[in-house]
Amino acid sequence: MIPVRLQIVGFLSYHNPVEIDFTGFDIACISGSNGAGKSSILDAITWVLFGEARRHDDAVINQRTQRENKPAKITLDFEYEGSLYRVQRSKQKDKTTTLDFYVSIKDDRWKSLTASTLRSTEEYIQQTLHLDYETFVNASFFLQGKADMFAQQKPSDRKRILSSILRLDVWEEYKEETASRRRSKELVLARCESLLSEIGDELKTEEQRKITLRTLTKEHEEANKLLTVTKDVLDKQRLIEDHLKIEEEQLAKQNAEVRRLRFDLHEKAEELNTRKEEQTTYLEQISNENEIRKGYAEWSEYNKILDELNAVAIEFHKYSAERETVIAQIDSVQKILQFEEENLTRRESEITTLEHQCGVLNKQIEEYKGNIVAVEKILKVKTELEHKLQELEVRKSKYTTEIATFEEHITELKDNKNALEQPDTSVCPTCDRPLGESEINYILNGIEEHIAEYTKIISADKDTYSECVRSCEEIDKELSAIGDKNLELILCRKNLDVTSEKLRQYEEEIKTWYNEGAVRLEEVQFKLRRENYAIEEHDHLSKINELINGLQYDEEEHKSIKITEHDLQEYQQKLQQLEVAKSSLNSIEREVKTLEKSVEDATHILKLREEEYEAADVKLSRLHRDTTDIQELEDNYENAQKNVNELLRQLGAAKGLVDELEDVKVQKVVKEMERDQIITSISQLKILEKAFGKDGIPTLLIEQALPDIEAHANEILDRLSDSTMQLSFETQRDFKDANRRDRKETLDIMISSSSEERAYELLSGGEAFRINFALRLALSHILANRSGARLSTLVIDEGFGSQDAEGRQRLIEAINSVREDFAKILVITHLEELKDAFSTRIEVSKHTNGSQVQVVLA
């Protein structure tokens, strides 16, 4: 990617539009004071391409631009593989980002490559560049303090750092995913083995199931034979029973006929007696005709007097009933008032009790408030102690880590010292470089100084750590003495709320009583004393009493006349019977003669039917003696049928169990095949898991990358050192223990210069700088090549201020030595003395209306 034109509007420190034309130079420095907006140019490039910068979301929008409700907008034109592209990205506050992607076609026209979504367009840009954000930054940007990140590490850590730079961490994810799948397969295998064990146990029962089936089959056949015999006997007995039922039905009909004839004879005899009695009665009534007529006349006189008294009695009883109703209403009102008086008097006593309880509750509330204040003070002290204890624990952890780190350094220094003090020592124990006696003494003195310095630091840290421990113990004792007061505080607050609410309710009840209840009690008592209630009912009662007195009704006289009238009332009926007797006597005499003849005929027919019934009954009794109890035969048949059904059910179940084993055998074969497949899969996953581990594919990839890194770095070193320096990597070295046959994994950087070979750690500052620059640039080439991109642009932000004059000069020389490898090189600096080292400068300045940019060409 080669930048051609960059336009910035409202982005970070830039408010007004600025534009940078990259076509007029191949190398330039971006200069300006601290905070002027130099790094914002690099942020603009990464944000427009990948949506990534030092800040995110609305934070990339210039504050003044936000206040004006305008968007931040970046436009970048760049060349790649002979084509010209344009990317435009904009963001307005609280709105979504917009992104457009174009490619240049003929006549200065642009063809849109924008996809349907923001994410799809970003992916298309990455596919075009063959770079994502992380690879782009690590390959093209030499950020401050990171150029020597790889070389300055311990040899044992360089493989890990290199793996991170080459983005091989993904293989660890592959390993974890493979291990997860293997564990899942092992769980499935365990379940499969368990199921196969259960299937094996079930197949062992096959012979027993077959024996049970044969036994049940034989029992079922025998039970069927018994059922057939029982059914034949029962069918024969049922035929006999059917014949008996026919005979019994015929006998029942004869019996019914005899009973009917007897009933008819009885009815006719009764009717005959009735008619004879009526005849006798009629004759007696006709003989007493004079007495009956005299009694009837006397009854008529008393009946007239009784009708008059009945009319007066109706009025009397009506007024009496009305009087009772009014009296009941008056009594009801009185009882209601008396009941209300009792309730109000009882409530008055309750209010007196509540007034006393209010005083008790007020005292309890004051006690609860005092307890809450006391507990809150204790909890405040507890919180302060816990905070202090947390701070002490952090300090203890810090000192523990620091002591362990320095003790490890001392151990390593002592090991190096012991190695150097050996009589035959002639090489460095860390890099195997040959050493003279003066160099050994110089290194030993340095080790002693470091050991003494580290020992002093450890002693001070231990004293401070002991003091922290003592303080923690004291605070623990104080916290233990305080205990858990939160529950006590919650309980006090709860009691206060409950008591306060109870007091409020009591006071509300007392107030309501004096405003309503006491007044009503006095009113009720007044009405009861004066009988000042049911006024209308009392007036109505007086009027009813006057009406009753005006009737002058004598209830005893009324009763006497009613009794006399009732005694004479029989003559009314006797007169009616006399008239009936005179008119009915002749017809009764004729009917008596007819009934006497009918009774005689019925008696003769009844005698004949009774003789026929007795003969049939004797015949049926003889048949009953010759039959067997059918209920016993039916019970035997039912039991035989149940036995057959039960054996049939057991037989079906036994046959199902035998047939089921065939399915189980098939299932066993399927599960065994499944188990074999799972075992094969687990074996394959274990191989993959080992391959994805740190000693597998990642190590192979690192070892494959090292020759490329070494070749690219040496190519650059040839230019930087006039072919006097070469570097190489050593991935293994011997252990100090000569008896060990294996070798130690490492990643040493060995430097060859003139006729000697030295470790990277023994280089001078200038030499180390050239190695760092060559390695960092080689790593950038590797990253770009692995992603399929061409590394055409280089951005260096190495912090010239941290270099001395000689170091800055070396950096400029290093940049110039590789400028032919890049189409564009941008170097960021804020030092005025370095501007003249570059023929083109992009000067950034800060103004009240935002950062401004000016391209200065030589």
Side-chain angles (χ1 to χ4, degrees):
M1 191 278 292
I2 304 172
V4 175
R5 184 181 68 91
L6 177 66
Q7 187 181 54
I8 307 174
V9 181
F11 181 80
L12 292 178
S13 61
Y14 293 88
H15 173 61
N16 292 333
V18 299
E19 183 173 318
I20 303 174
D21 186 357
F22 295 91
T23 59
F25 58 86
D26 57 357
I27 184 169
C29 76
I30 302 175
S31 63
S33 60
N34 288 332
K38 301 184 297 298
S39 297
S40 295
I41 295 174
L42 306 183
D43 284 329
I45 294 174
T46 59
W47 187 73
V48 71
L49 290 173
F50 306 104
E52 296 281 351
R54 287 173 298 168
R55 308 189 70 177
H56 300 280
D57 300 330
D58 289 351
V60 300
I61 307 173
N62 180 271
Q63 293 183 357
R64 182 175 174 184
T65 304
Q66 290 190 37
R67 290 194 295 270
E68 294 175 357
N69 197 26
K70 294 181 180 179
K73 182 177 180 181
I74 307 293
T75 302
L76 174 66
D77 294 347
F78 64 89
E79 290 183 8
Y80 189 79
E81 299 293 345
S83 297
L84 180 62
Y85 297 91
R86 172 174 291 175
V87 182
Q88 288 181 338
R89 188 186 293 265
S90 63
K91 176 75 172 72
Q92 192 165 357
K93 185 178 179 182
D94 299 328
K95 293 186 179 179
T96 57
T97 302
T98 61
L99 177 63
D100 294 300
F101 187 34
Y102 306 93
V103 63
S104 176
I105 54 179
K106 295 180 180 180
D107 302 328
D108 198 24
R109 289 184 293 117
W110 298 89
K111 175 184 177 182
S112 176
L113 302 177
T114 307
S116 58
T117 63
L118 175 69
R119 181 180 296 275
S120 298
T121 304
E122 288 179 339
E123 291 176 353
Y124 193 16
I125 293 172
Q126 293 180 25
Q127 291 172 6
T128 302
L129 294 174
H130 299 284
L131 293 168
D132 58 12
Y133 171 73
E134 293 294 335
T135 306
F136 179 75
V137 171
N138 284 313
S140 295
F141 287 19
F142 279 25
L143 300 180
Q144 183 175 356
K146 293 188 177 181
D148 58 352
M149 178 182 66
F150 171 68
Q152 290 291 339
Q153 298 298 318
K154 292 181 180 179
S156 58
D157 292 335
R158 285 180 184 141
K159 274 192 176 180
R160 176 179 54 81
I161 299 300
L162 183 58
S163 176
S164 176
I165 293 174
L166 295 177
R167 304 180 69 183
L168 299 179
D169 298 342
V170 68
W171 293 100
E172 184 64 26
E173 297 177 10
Y174 295 161
K175 178 185 175 183
E176 291 299 324
E177 176 63 22
T178 304
S180 176
R181 294 187 182 185
R182 172 183 55 77
R183 289 190 292 269
S184 298
K185 289 289 185 180
E186 288 173 346
L187 290 175
V188 175
L189 177 62
R191 290 195 293 269
C192 186
E193 293 284 2
S194 176
L195 185 57
L196 281 171
S197 176
E198 294 175 2
I199 290 172
D201 293 340
E202 190 172 2
L203 289 176
K204 290 177 183 179
T205 64
E206 181 176 13
E207 184 60 31
Q208 182 59 43
R209 292 185 185 186
K210 289 181 177 179
I211 292 173
T212 302
L213 178 61
R214 289 193 295 271
T215 302
L216 288 173
T217 301
K218 184 176 180 181
E219 291 178 0
H220 180 258
E221 292 173 353
E222 293 175 353
N224 264 330
K225 293 178 181 178
L226 178 60
L227 179 64
T228 301
V229 172
T230 305
K231 188 175 185 305
D232 292 340
V233 174
L234 179 61
D235 289 342
K236 291 178 182 179
Q237 187 60 40
R238 281 176 176 168
L239 291 174
I240 296 173
E241 287 290 329
D242 291 342
H243 180 67
L244 282 173
K245 284 181 181 179
I246 293 171
E247 294 293 331
E248 288 173 351
E249 289 173 1
Q250 185 63 34
L251 183 63
K253 289 179 182 180
Q254 291 176 341
N255 185 27
E257 178 68 13
V258 169
R259 289 198 302 272
R260 185 184 65 76
L261 291 172
R262 286 174 181 171
F263 181 77
D264 289 345
L265 178 60
H266 177 73
E267 287 289 320
K268 290 177 180 180
E270 287 288 329
E271 188 176 359
L272 176 60
N273 292 333
T274 301
R275 293 293 176 265
K276 286 182 178 181
E277 290 174 359
E278 288 178 0
Q279 184 181 19
T280 302
T281 300
Y282 287 162
L283 292 172
E284 289 176 356
Q285 289 174 348
I286 290 171
S287 65
N288 296 326
E289 181 176 1
N290 292 331
E291 182 184 353
I292 290 171
R293 290 189 182 278
K294 181 180 178 181
Y296 177 79
E298 190 177 356
W299 169 79
S300 297
E301 184 66 26
Y302 275 99
N303 186 54
K304 182 179 179 182
I305 296 170
L306 184 60
D307 287 342
E308 294 173 356
L309 287 174
N310 284 339
V312 175
I314 290 171
E315 290 294 318
F316 176 80
H317 289 303
K318 183 181 75 172
Y319 292 141
S320 295
E322 188 174 355
R323 181 176 179 273
E324 293 299 326
T325 300
V326 174
I327 291 173
Q329 291 174 348
I330 294 170
D331 290 343
S332 176
V333 173
Q334 182 183 10
K335 288 179 181 178
I336 290 171
L337 289 173
Q338 289 174 344
F339 180 73
E340 187 177 2
E341 181 187 20
E342 291 176 0
N343 288 338
L344 290 171
T345 303
R346 185 165 56 254
R347 184 58 178 164
E348 184 179 30
S349 176
E350 292 174 355
I351 292 299
T352 302
T353 303
L354 289 179
E355 289 176 339
H356 172 71
Q357 291 180 352
C358 284
V360 176
L361 292 176
N362 276 318
K363 291 181 181 179
Q364 291 178 353
I365 287 172
E366 293 302 322
E367 290 178 1
Y368 290 144
K369 288 181 178 178
N371 291 338
I372 289 172
V373 172
V375 173
E376 285 178 342
K377 288 181 180 179
I378 294 173
L379 287 175
K380 184 177 180 181
V381 172
K382 182 180 179 181
T383 302
E384 293 174 354
L385 290 173
E386 288 175 343
H387 181 67
K388 187 182 294 184
L389 183 62
Q390 290 176 356
E391 292 178 348
L392 289 171
E393 291 293 342
V394 171
R395 292 180 62 193
K396 283 169 58 181
S397 176
K398 172 187 172 185
Y399 288 123
T400 301
T401 303
E402 191 171 316
I403 289 170
T405 301
F406 281 111
E407 286 178 345
E408 183 179 349
H409 289 335
I410 289 174
T411 300
E412 187 176 349
L413 290 171
K414 286 182 178 179
D415 290 341
N416 292 338
K417 178 183 175 184
N418 291 335
L420 290 170
E421 287 177 343
Q422 296 299 321
D424 57 346
T425 299
S426 60
V427 296
C428 176
T430 59
C431 63
D432 295 335
R433 184 176 64 85
L435 298 174
E437 184 178 353
S438 60
E439 288 181 306
I440 292 174
N441 291 331
Y442 175 77
I443 294 173
L444 286 174
N445 290 333
I447 290 174
E448 289 290 348
E449 291 175 0
H450 282 93
I451 291 174
E453 181 183 356
Y454 292 164
T455 303
K456 184 177 180 181
I457 293 172
I458 290 172
S459 177
D461 286 351
K462 286 184 176 179
D463 292 340
T464 307
Y465 177 81
S466 299
E467 183 63 28
C468 290
V469 171
R470 285 193 296 273
S471 299
C472 288
E473 292 174 350
E474 293 174 359
I475 292 173
D476 283 333
K477 290 179 181 179
E478 294 182 30
L479 290 174
S480 298
I482 292 173
D484 188 4
K485 293 289 184 180
N486 286 312
L487 183 60
E488 183 178 347
L489 179 61
I490 292 171
L491 184 60
C492 287
R493 287 175 175 169
K494 181 179 179 181
N495 290 335
L496 176 61
D497 293 340
V498 172
T499 306
S500 299
E501 177 61 20
K502 186 183 292 185
L503 177 62
R504 186 193 67 75
Q505 293 176 357
Y506 286 177
E507 290 175 343
E508 186 68 26
E509 291 181 26
I510 293 169
K511 181 179 177 182
T512 303
W513 165 255
Y514 284 111
N515 290 338
E516 301 175 4
V519 176
R520 179 58 181 167
L521 177 60
E522 185 177 354
E523 180 182 345
V524 170
Q525 290 174 341
F526 176 78
K527 287 182 177 182
L528 289 172
R529 286 196 304 271
R530 300 293 184 86
E531 294 185 356
N532 187 19
Y533 55 87
I535 305 300
E536 293 181 0
E537 287 79 2
H538 278 98
D539 293 343
H540 192 195
L541 180 62
S542 298
K543 293 178 182 178
I544 292 172
N545 288 332
E546 292 176 1
L547 292 171
I548 291 174
N549 293 332
L551 291 174
Q552 297 181 351
Y553 171 71
D554 187 350
E555 189 172 3
E556 293 299 324
E557 180 186 1
H558 189 190
K559 288 182 180 178
S560 176
I561 292 174
K562 185 182 292 186
I563 291 171
T564 302
E565 188 273 339
H566 183 268
D567 292 340
L568 294 172
Q569 195 174 16
E570 64 178 358
Y571 286 103
Q572 181 188 20
Q573 185 178 3
K574 287 181 178 181
L575 181 62
Q576 293 173 354
Q577 291 174 350
L578 176 63
E579 298 296 333
V580 172
K582 285 183 175 182
S583 62
S584 303
L585 182 59
N586 293 329
S587 62
I588 286 294
E589 289 176 348
R590 291 192 299 270
E591 191 173 349
V592 166
K593 291 179 180 180
T594 302
L595 287 173
E596 287 176 346
K597 180 68 170 67
S598 179
V599 167
E600 183 180 355
D601 295 340
T603 302
H604 177 69
I605 294 172
L606 175 62
K607 184 177 180 181
L608 293 175
R609 296 293 181 268
E610 285 178 342
E611 291 174 355
E612 292 175 358
Y613 173 76
E614 289 175 359
D617 186 50
V618 171
K619 179 181 178 183
L620 184 62
S621 298
R622 189 168 56 250
L623 288 173
H624 273 297
R625 287 194 299 270
D626 297 336
T627 59
T628 306
D629 185 11
I630 193 170
Q631 184 61 47
E632 181 180 354
L633 295 176
E634 287 180 345
D635 291 343
N636 293 338
Y637 176 74
E638 184 178 355
N639 292 333
Q641 183 67 56
K642 287 181 180 178
N643 187 37
V644 169
N645 292 339
E646 176 61 22
L647 287 171
L648 185 62
R649 184 192 65 77
Q650 295 178 7
L651 183 62
K655 188 175 185 304
L657 290 174
V658 172
D659 294 342
E660 186 180 277
L661 291 178
E662 296 301 320
D663 295 336
V664 172
K665 291 176 182 178
V666 174
Q667 187 180 5
K668 179 182 179 182
V669 174
V670 172
K671 284 298 176 183
E672 287 175 344
M673 293 174 62
E674 182 181 345
R675 179 190 60 189
D676 295 341
Q677 292 174 354
I678 294 171
I679 292 173
T680 302
S681 297
I682 292 173
S683 177
Q684 293 172 347
L685 288 170
K686 286 181 177 179
I687 294 171
L688 284 176
E689 190 176 349
K690 183 176 181 181
F692 294 156
K694 65 178 183 179
D695 296 328
I697 295 174
T699 298
L700 293 176
L701 292 175
I702 290 174
E703 291 179 354
Q704 289 176 359
L706 286 176
D708 290 340
I709 298 172
E710 185 177 302
H712 280 290
N714 284 328
E715 183 181 345
I716 297 166
L717 277 176
D718 280 343
R719 304 179 206 169
L720 296 178
S721 64
D722 293 331
S723 302
T724 61
M725 294 179 65
Q726 289 286 309
L727 66 83
S728 61
F729 296 109
E730 291 185 2
T731 58
Q732 292 182 337
R733 66 181 175 188
D734 294 331
F735 284 97
K736 294 179 181 179
D737 185 358
N739 295 324
R740 294 189 61 167
R741 296 183 179 180
D742 57 336
R743 305 193 71 193
K744 181 179 181 180
E745 292 291 332
T746 184
L747 186 56
D748 292 324
I749 304 174
M750 304 304 298
I751 311 301
S752 300
S753 60
S754 301
S755 59
E756 64 176 350
E757 185 178 57
R758 292 174 293 166
Y760 169 85
E761 289 78 8
L762 299 178
L763 297 179
S764 63
E767 292 172 327
F769 176 83
R770 287 193 289 271
I771 298 299
N772 293 341
F773 187 83
L775 283 173
R776 182 63 178 82
L777 199 56
L779 287 172
S780 296
H781 275 289
I782 294 298
L783 282 175
N785 290 340
R786 282 178 177 270
S787 64
R790 292 183 57 192
L791 193 60
S792 302
T793 300
L794 183 65
V795 180
I796 301 175
D797 184 8
E798 276 301 317
F800 288 102
S802 63
Q803 301 283 336
D804 55 16
E806 182 181 354
R808 290 194 291 271
Q809 184 60 38
R810 286 198 301 268
L811 179 59
I812 293 171
E813 292 174 356
I815 292 170
N816 286 324
S817 69
V818 297
R819 64 185 299 173
E820 294 181 358
D821 297 337
F822 298 93
K824 287 287 184 293
I825 298 179
L826 300 176
V827 181
I828 298 177
T829 181
H830 64 276
L831 299 178
E832 290 293 329
E833 60 267 26
L834 287 178
K835 290 182 180 180
D836 296 336
F838 298 93
S839 58
T840 302
R841 300 191 303 275
I842 301 174
E843 295 183 350
V844 183
S845 56
K846 192 70 173 287
H847 301 276
T848 55
N849 59 350
S851 300
Q852 293 294 322
V853 173
Q854 181 180 5
V855 179
V856 179
L857 301 174

